[in-house]
Amino acid sequence: MAALCALEAAALVAGGIYMLVMGLLGRPDSPQQAETGGLTLIVLGLIPLFAARGLQLRRSWSRGPALITQLMALPVAWTLLRAQGALIPAGIALSVVAVTALVLLLAPATTKALGIRVQRTTPDA
């Protein structure tokens, strides 16, 4: 699970570096927009990176950022799946990683391993 978050962090940072370099050295329509987008992706890559580290250390706080990252990845995956060409396999890969990570993060074994207490309610008699 931590590995999936780290993989997403690496992908975000790599995409951000690519956009930043293309904004500086390439010929984008808007260099400022490419540079801003690149920096934004790099900063967003820190969220799953910190979550991955927290999950690795079994910190209960890490599940929240990891869940948010997966929920944010699903609309991105959907957008990629509706695109053309090489973006479709990227959308498939992202959706598989996001759904797998969501299932693992919500699994009872994960809740127990992270020390998260689940409060059970009983119906009134």
Side-chain angles (χ1 to χ4, degrees):
M1 186 172 30
L4 292 176
C5 285
L7 176 66
E8 289 172 326
L12 282 167
V13 170
I17 290 172
Y18 175 79
M19 284 182 69
L20 190 59
V21 168
M22 296 298 4
L24 294 171
L25 304 177
R27 295 177 193 231
D29 292 337
S30 172
Q32 183 180 7
Q33 188 175 12
E35 293 162 9
T36 302
L39 289 174
T40 301
L41 283 180
I42 291 169
V43 171
L44 285 175
L46 295 176
I47 296 170
L49 182 65
F50 288 133
R53 182 68 176 147
L55 289 169
Q56 186 179 23
L57 297 174
R58 294 186 180 181
R59 304 286 191 249
S60 61
W61 60 262
S62 62
R63 189 166 86 162
L67 283 170
I68 290 169
T69 300
Q70 306 323 310
L71 293 173
M72 289 173 49
L74 291 174
V76 174
W78 177 254
T79 302
L80 292 172
L81 288 170
R82 296 180 51 116
Q84 297 177 3
L87 295 178
I88 293 173
I92 292 169
L94 180 58
S95 60
V96 167
V97 169
V99 169
T100 302
L102 278 171
V103 168
L104 292 172
L105 285 165
L106 296 172
T110 303
T111 303
K112 184 177 179 182
L114 293 175
I116 299 171
R117 286 190 250 159
V118 179
Q119 190 171 10
R120 303 205 186 267
T121 59
T122 56
D124 293 335

